Structure formats: structure tokens, C-alpha cells
Amino acid sequence: MYRCISCGAQVQELYRQYSPTVLKIVKCEKCGEFADKYVEYDPVIVLVDMVLLDKAAYRHLLYNSNFKAYWKLVIILLLSESFIRWSNKRQQFEESGQLMSFKSERNFYFELYHTGLSLLSFVTGVVLLTELRWKILRSRPAKYRRLDLLKALVIGGCAKLLSLISIIWKQDDELEYQHLLIIGYSVLCLLTAYSGKFIKL
């Protein structure tokens, strides 16, 4: 079962294929909009719309696409965030002249462990708060699944990959501002993915 990316209603199909080269996108019966315009778009366009925080693009990826590599995204996020933390600490040790004590790759694995625990606690907190929200409001969506929530958090968390650029910039005066902008954008991406996930049906 698919979802309309405009209103979130369930639709039986996204398009009808009349020949190998001709297909017609189905309109949603509830809102009258195309059920999923991204079916005929290039994945790069979907990615650009996700960068622009378009909720419909997030819904397309969560509900109507064949994307299955969420575990790969989690690994990439863990490795990149750990590397960023490790690199920032390495710079601090370089400035203080204590780099020799920090050269061990063991420190990178420590950062990886720390990042994994942070991610696990964040995801657990969001899931528990969401469950609490549904119990308090007593308006749990009919098709709510925790797995979909986890997928939304992984997709929304991909904005943290922008932090890799801050390693290249290495401008100490502006690094703090860049870091704050990246954190702000990451929060917006997480909120967009989270709000795009929950649709009352």
C-alpha cells in the first residue's frame, strides 16, 4: 500500500503503465493531487527537494520508494560523526602540543563507541516520547509503526554529513558559526522527517 505525498492518504497504486514508455500518475481520491509526482523524477531531484526540506520528498522516500539501505546510512552516519569528533579533538591536541598522546587509532574507536551510544539514546528517547505522546493524546495514527519512525530519524539525521565540510574549511573564526548552522539545519531535517512521518488517517 502506498501513500499520497500531499495528504498522506493510502492509495492502491501510484501510476498506471500503458506501455513500456508510457505511464500515467494516479491522482489521490482524497485531495485530488497526484499521489506521488516523484515516481517519474530522477533521484537527484528527490535529493534536492529533501535538502530544501520538502515534506513530500521525505514521504516519497519513506513510503513509496524501494530504498532499503537504511543500515548503510546508519553506518555512514556513525563513521562520519565519529571522524568529525575525532578530528576536532585531534586539532585541539595539536594546538596544545600533546598530539603524540592522541595519535592512537584507539581514540577513534572510542569516539565511534561514544557516537553509537549517543545515537542509540537519541533514538530511544524519540521513540519513548512519541509513544508517550500517543498515550496522552489518545490519537495514535492507525498505521503507525516504530520501524517507519526509525527510518525517518535515519533520513533526517543525514544532514549531519554536512559537518564533514567543516573539516575542509578549517577557519577557526567561522567554524563555530558553521557548526551552529549545521546543527540547526540537522534539527530542521529531523523535524521535517518526523512530521512527514505521522499522518492521521
Side-chain angles (χ1 to χ4, degrees):
M1 196 62 90
Y2 300 105
R3 295 277 179 93
C4 171
I5 61 171
S6 299
C7 68
Q10 289 188 341
V11 291
Q12 293 291 332
E13 56 187 353
L14 298 175
Y15 60 88
R16 292 190 183 101
Q17 192 157 4
Y18 296 104
S19 72
T21 57
V22 177
L23 61 90
K24 181 181 178 185
I25 299 177
V26 174
K27 288 195 174 184
C28 174
E29 294 176 3
K30 186 176 178 184
C31 68
E33 298 289 328
F34 289 121
D36 191 346
K37 64 181 180 180
Y38 292 109
V39 169
E40 59 182 4
Y41 285 18
D42 193 69
V44 175
I45 303 294
V46 179
L47 181 64
V48 168
D49 281 354
M50 289 178 71
V51 168
L52 295 173
L53 302 176
D54 186 3
K55 199 181 291 187
Y58 281 90
R59 285 181 180 164
H60 165 76
L61 188 61
L62 286 169
Y63 296 117
N64 301 334
S65 72
N66 292 326
F67 184 72
K68 304 273 190 253
Y70 292 98
W71 65 273
K72 291 180 183 177
L73 277 180
V74 170
I75 290 172
I76 290 170
L77 285 172
L78 283 174
L79 289 174
S80 63
E81 194 167 344
S82 301
F83 179 75
I84 291 162
R85 288 182 180 186
W86 179 78
S87 178
N88 289 339
K89 285 189 178 178
R90 187 172 186 272
Q91 285 177 352
Q92 291 171 1
F93 276 96
E94 276 180 354
E95 291 168 3
S96 64
Q98 300 174 351
L99 183 60
M100 292 304 291
S101 64
F102 195 74
K103 274 192 172 178
S104 170
E105 69 180 52
R106 178 187 61 191
N107 293 315
F108 174 76
Y109 293 117
F110 176 75
E111 291 299 328
L112 184 62
Y113 174 74
H114 183 266
T115 304
L117 282 179
S118 300
L119 182 64
L120 182 64
S121 61
F122 171 73
V123 168
T124 304
V126 170
V127 169
L128 289 176
L129 286 173
T130 302
E131 292 289 336
L132 184 65
R133 172 187 173 193
W134 299 141
K135 286 189 179 182
I136 291 172
L137 297 178
R138 294 183 182 159
S139 61
R140 184 183 183 121
K143 299 294 180 183
Y144 167 72
R145 293 186 318 156
R146 284 191 195 115
L147 183 61
D148 290 337
L149 174 58
L150 296 177
K151 290 177 182 179
L153 291 175
V154 169
I155 291 170
C158 287
K160 292 181 182 178
L161 294 174
L162 290 173
S163 296
L164 290 172
I165 298 170
S166 67
I167 294 173
I168 298 167
W169 283 332
K170 287 187 181 176
Q171 296 172 353
D172 294 334
D173 298 338
E174 298 178 11
L175 196 58
E176 190 67 31
Y177 299 116
Q178 294 164 357
H179 186 65
L180 289 174
L181 285 172
I182 290 169
I183 288 175
Y185 181 71
S186 298
V187 169
L188 287 175
C189 286
L190 284 167
L191 288 173
T192 303
Y194 185 83
S195 65
K197 162 70 193 88
F198 297 115
I199 307 156
K200 291 185 182 179
L201 300 173

Coordinates of all heavy atoms in Angstrom, one line a residue, residues 50-93:
M50 N 14.7 17.1 -0.8 CA 14.9 16.8 0.6 C 15.8 17.8 1.2 O 15.6 18.2 2.4 CB 15.4 15.4 0.7 CG 14.4 14.3 0.4 SD 15.0 12.6 0.5 CE 15.3 12.5 2.2
V51 N 16.8 18.2 0.5 CA 17.8 19.2 1.0 C 17.0 20.5 1.3 O 17.3 21.2 2.3 CB 18.9 19.5 0.1 CG1 19.7 20.7 0.5 CG2 19.8 18.2 0.1
L52 N 16.0 20.8 0.4 CA 15.2 22.0 0.6 C 14.0 21.8 1.6 O 13.1 22.6 1.7 CB 14.6 22.4 -0.8 CG 15.7 22.9 -1.8 CD1 15.0 23.1 -3.1 CD2 16.4 24.1 -1.3
L53 N 14.1 20.7 2.3 CA 13.1 20.4 3.4 C 11.7 20.2 2.9 O 10.7 20.7 3.6 CB 13.2 21.4 4.5 CG 14.6 21.6 5.1 CD1 14.6 22.7 6.2 CD2 15.0 20.3 5.8
D54 N 11.5 19.7 1.7 CA 10.2 19.4 1.2 C 9.6 18.1 1.8 O 10.1 17.1 1.6 CB 10.2 19.3 -0.3 CG 8.8 19.2 -1.0 OD1 7.8 19.2 -0.2 OD2 8.8 19.0 -2.2
K55 N 8.5 18.3 2.6 CA 7.9 17.2 3.3 C 7.5 16.1 2.3 O 7.5 14.9 2.7 CB 6.8 17.7 4.1 CG 6.4 16.7 5.2 CD 5.2 17.2 6.0 CE 5.6 18.4 6.8 NZ 4.5 18.8 7.7
A56 N 7.0 16.4 1.2 CA 6.6 15.5 0.2 C 7.7 14.5 -0.3 O 7.5 13.3 -0.5 CB 5.9 16.2 -1.0
A57 N 8.9 15.1 -0.4 CA 10.1 14.3 -0.8 C 10.4 13.3 0.3 O 10.7 12.1 0.0 CB 11.3 15.2 -1.1
Y58 N 10.3 13.7 1.5 CA 10.5 12.7 2.6 C 9.5 11.6 2.6 O 9.8 10.5 2.9 CB 10.5 13.5 4.0 CG 11.8 14.2 4.3 CD1 12.0 15.5 3.9 CD2 12.8 13.6 5.0 CE1 13.1 16.2 4.2 CE2 14.0 14.3 5.3 CZ 14.1 15.6 4.9 OH 15.3 16.2 5.1
R59 N 8.2 12.0 2.4 CA 7.2 11.0 2.4 C 7.4 10.0 1.2 O 7.1 8.8 1.3 CB 5.8 11.7 2.2 CG 5.3 12.3 3.5 CD 4.0 12.9 3.3 NE 3.5 13.5 4.6 CZ 2.5 14.4 4.6 NH1 1.9 14.8 3.5 NH2 2.2 14.9 5.8
H60 N 7.8 10.5 0.1 CA 8.1 9.7 -1.1 C 9.2 8.6 -0.7 O 9.0 7.4 -0.9 CB 8.6 10.5 -2.3 CG 9.2 9.6 -3.3 ND1 8.5 8.8 -4.2 CD2 10.5 9.4 -3.6 CE1 9.3 8.2 -5.0 NE2 10.6 8.5 -4.7
L61 N 10.2 9.1 -0.1 CA 11.3 8.1 0.3 C 10.9 7.2 1.4 O 11.2 6.0 1.3 CB 12.6 8.9 0.8 CG 13.8 8.1 1.0 CD1 14.3 7.4 -0.3 CD2 14.9 9.0 1.5
L62 N 10.1 7.6 2.3 CA 9.7 6.7 3.4 C 8.6 5.7 3.0 O 8.6 4.6 3.5 CB 9.1 7.6 4.6 CG 10.2 8.3 5.4 CD1 9.5 9.3 6.3 CD2 11.0 7.4 6.2
Y63 N 7.7 6.1 2.2 CA 6.5 5.3 1.9 C 6.5 4.6 0.5 O 6.0 3.5 0.3 CB 5.2 6.0 2.1 CG 5.0 6.5 3.5 CD1 4.9 7.9 3.8 CD2 4.8 5.6 4.5 CE1 4.7 8.3 5.1 CE2 4.6 6.0 5.8 CZ 4.6 7.4 6.1 OH 4.3 7.8 7.3
N64 N 7.0 5.4 -0.5 CA 6.7 4.9 -1.9 C 8.0 4.5 -2.7 O 7.9 4.2 -3.8 CB 6.0 6.1 -2.6 CG 4.7 6.4 -2.0 OD1 4.1 5.7 -1.3 ND2 4.3 7.7 -2.2
S65 N 9.1 4.6 -2.1 CA 10.3 4.2 -2.8 C 10.8 2.8 -2.4 O 10.3 2.2 -1.4 CB 11.5 5.2 -2.5 OG 12.0 5.1 -1.2
N66 N 11.7 2.3 -3.2 CA 12.3 1.0 -2.9 C 13.6 1.0 -2.1 O 14.3 0.1 -2.1 CB 12.5 0.2 -4.2 CG 11.2 -0.1 -4.9 OD1 10.2 -0.4 -4.2 ND2 11.2 -0.1 -6.2
F67 N 13.8 2.2 -1.5 CA 15.1 2.3 -0.8 C 15.1 1.4 0.5 O 14.2 1.5 1.3 CB 15.2 3.8 -0.3 CG 16.6 4.1 0.3 CD1 17.7 4.1 -0.4 CD2 16.6 4.3 1.7 CE1 18.9 4.4 0.2 CE2 17.8 4.6 2.3 CZ 19.0 4.6 1.6
K68 N 16.1 0.6 0.6 CA 16.2 -0.4 1.7 C 17.5 -0.3 2.5 O 17.7 -1.0 3.4 CB 16.1 -1.8 1.1 CG 14.9 -2.1 0.3 CD 13.7 -2.5 1.1 CE 12.6 -3.0 0.3 NZ 11.5 -2.1 0.2
A69 N 18.4 0.6 2.0 CA 19.8 0.6 2.6 C 19.9 1.5 3.8 O 20.8 2.3 4.0 CB 20.8 1.0 1.6
Y70 N 18.9 1.5 4.7 CA 18.9 2.3 5.9 C 20.1 2.0 6.8 O 20.7 2.8 7.4 CB 17.6 2.2 6.7 CG 16.4 2.8 5.9 CD1 15.6 2.1 5.2 CD2 16.2 4.2 5.9 CE1 14.5 2.6 4.5 CE2 15.2 4.8 5.2 CZ 14.3 4.0 4.5 OH 13.3 4.5 3.8
W71 N 20.4 0.7 6.9 CA 21.5 0.3 7.8 C 22.8 0.8 7.3 O 23.7 1.2 8.0 CB 21.5 -1.3 7.9 CG 21.8 -2.0 6.6 CD1 20.9 -2.4 5.7 CD2 23.1 -2.4 6.1 NE1 21.6 -3.0 4.6 CE2 22.9 -3.0 4.9 CE3 24.4 -2.3 6.7 CZ2 24.0 -3.5 4.2 CZ3 25.5 -2.8 5.9 CH2 25.2 -3.4 4.7
K72 N 22.9 1.0 5.9 CA 24.2 1.6 5.4 C 24.3 3.0 5.8 O 25.3 3.6 6.1 CB 24.2 1.4 3.9 CG 24.4 0.0 3.4 CD 24.4 -0.1 1.9 CE 24.5 -1.5 1.4 NZ 24.5 -1.6 0.0
L73 N 23.1 3.7 5.7 CA 23.1 5.1 6.2 C 23.5 5.3 7.6 O 24.2 6.2 8.0 CB 21.7 5.7 5.9 CG 21.4 6.2 4.5 CD1 20.0 6.8 4.5 CD2 22.3 7.3 4.1
V74 N 23.0 4.4 8.4 CA 23.4 4.4 9.9 C 24.9 4.3 10.0 O 25.5 5.0 10.8 CB 22.6 3.3 10.7 CG1 23.2 3.2 12.1 CG2 21.1 3.6 10.7
I75 N 25.5 3.3 9.3 CA 26.9 3.1 9.4 C 27.7 4.4 8.9 O 28.7 4.8 9.6 CB 27.4 1.9 8.6 CG1 26.8 0.6 9.3 CG2 28.9 1.8 8.4 CD1 27.0 -0.7 8.6
I76 N 27.2 4.9 7.8 CA 27.9 6.1 7.3 C 27.8 7.3 8.3 O 28.7 8.0 8.6 CB 27.3 6.5 5.9 CG1 27.7 5.5 4.9 CG2 27.7 7.9 5.5 CD1 27.0 5.7 3.6
L77 N 26.6 7.4 8.9 CA 26.4 8.5 9.9 C 27.3 8.3 11.1 O 27.9 9.2 11.6 CB 24.9 8.5 10.3 CG 23.9 9.1 9.4 CD1 22.5 8.9 9.9 CD2 24.2 10.6 9.2
L78 N 27.4 7.0 11.6 CA 28.2 6.8 12.7 C 29.7 7.0 12.4 O 30.4 7.7 13.2 CB 28.0 5.3 13.2 CG 26.8 5.0 13.9 CD1 26.7 3.5 14.2 CD2 26.8 5.7 15.3
L79 N 30.2 6.6 11.3 CA 31.6 6.8 11.0 C 31.9 8.2 10.7 O 32.9 8.7 11.2 CB 31.9 5.9 9.7 CG 32.0 4.4 9.9 CD1 32.2 3.7 8.6 CD2 33.1 4.0 10.9
S80 N 31.0 8.9 10.0 CA 31.3 10.3 9.7 C 31.3 11.2 11.0 O 32.2 12.0 11.2 CB 30.4 10.9 8.7 OG 29.1 10.9 9.2
E81 N 30.3 11.0 11.8 CA 30.2 11.8 13.0 C 31.4 11.5 14.0 O 31.9 12.4 14.6 CB 28.9 11.6 13.7 CG 28.6 12.6 14.8 CD 27.2 12.6 15.3 OE1 26.3 12.0 14.6 OE2 27.0 13.2 16.3
S82 N 31.8 10.2 14.1 CA 32.9 9.8 14.9 C 34.2 10.4 14.4 O 35.0 10.9 15.1 CB 33.1 8.3 14.9 OG 31.9 7.7 15.4
F83 N 34.3 10.4 13.0 CA 35.5 11.0 12.4 C 35.6 12.5 12.7 O 36.7 13.1 13.0 CB 35.6 10.8 10.9 CG 36.8 11.4 10.3 CD1 38.0 10.8 10.4 CD2 36.6 12.5 9.5 CE1 39.1 11.4 9.8 CE2 37.7 13.1 8.9 CZ 39.0 12.5 9.1
I84 N 34.4 13.2 12.6 CA 34.4 14.6 12.9 C 34.8 14.9 14.3 O 35.6 15.8 14.6 CB 33.0 15.2 12.6 CG1 32.7 15.1 11.1 CG2 32.8 16.6 13.1 CD1 31.3 15.2 10.7
R85 N 34.3 14.2 15.3 CA 34.6 14.4 16.7 C 36.1 14.1 16.9 O 36.8 14.8 17.6 CB 33.8 13.4 17.6 CG 32.4 13.8 17.7 CD 31.7 12.9 18.7 NE 30.3 13.3 18.8 CZ 29.4 12.7 19.7 NH1 29.9 11.7 20.4 NH2 28.2 13.1 19.7
W86 N 36.6 13.0 16.3 CA 38.0 12.6 16.5 C 38.9 13.7 15.9 O 39.9 14.1 16.5 CB 38.2 11.3 15.8 CG 39.6 10.8 15.8 CD1 40.2 10.2 16.9 CD2 40.6 10.8 14.8 NE1 41.5 9.9 16.6 CE2 41.8 10.3 15.3 CE3 40.6 11.3 13.5 CZ2 42.9 10.2 14.5 CZ3 41.7 11.2 12.7 CH2 42.9 10.6 13.2
S87 N 38.5 14.2 14.7 CA 39.3 15.2 14.0 C 39.3 16.5 14.8 O 40.4 17.2 15.0 CB 38.7 15.5 12.6 OG 39.4 16.5 12.0
N88 N 38.2 16.9 15.4 CA 38.2 18.1 16.2 C 39.0 18.0 17.5 O 39.8 18.9 17.8 CB 36.7 18.5 16.6 CG 35.9 19.0 15.4 OD1 36.5 19.4 14.4 ND2 34.6 18.8 15.5
K89 N 39.0 16.8 18.1 CA 39.8 16.6 19.3 C 41.3 16.6 18.9 O 42.2 17.0 19.6 CB 39.4 15.3 20.0 CG 38.1 15.5 20.8 CD 37.9 14.3 21.6 CE 36.6 14.5 22.4 NZ 36.3 13.3 23.3
R90 N 41.6 16.0 17.7 CA 43.0 16.0 17.3 C 43.5 17.4 17.1 O 44.7 17.7 17.4 CB 43.0 15.2 16.0 CG 44.4 14.9 15.5 CD 44.3 14.0 14.3 NE 45.7 13.6 13.9 CZ 46.4 14.2 13.0 NH1 46.0 15.3 12.4 NH2 47.6 13.8 12.7
Q91 N 42.7 18.3 16.5 CA 43.1 19.7 16.3 C 43.4 20.3 17.7 O 44.4 21.1 17.8 CB 42.1 20.5 15.6 CG 42.0 20.1 14.1 CD 40.9 20.9 13.4 OE1 40.1 21.5 14.0 NE2 40.9 20.8 12.1
Q92 N 42.6 20.0 18.7 CA 42.8 20.6 20.0 C 44.1 20.1 20.6 O 44.9 20.9 21.2 CB 41.6 20.2 20.9 CG 40.3 20.9 20.6 CD 39.2 20.4 21.4 OE1 39.3 19.5 22.2 NE2 38.0 20.9 21.1
F93 N 44.4 18.8 20.4 CA 45.7 18.3 20.9 C 46.9 18.9 20.1 O 47.9 19.1 20.7 CB 45.7 16.8 20.8 CG 45.0 16.1 22.0 CD1 43.7 15.7 21.9 CD2 45.7 15.9 23.1 CE1 43.1 15.1 23.0 CE2 45.1 15.3 24.2 CZ 43.8 14.9 24.2

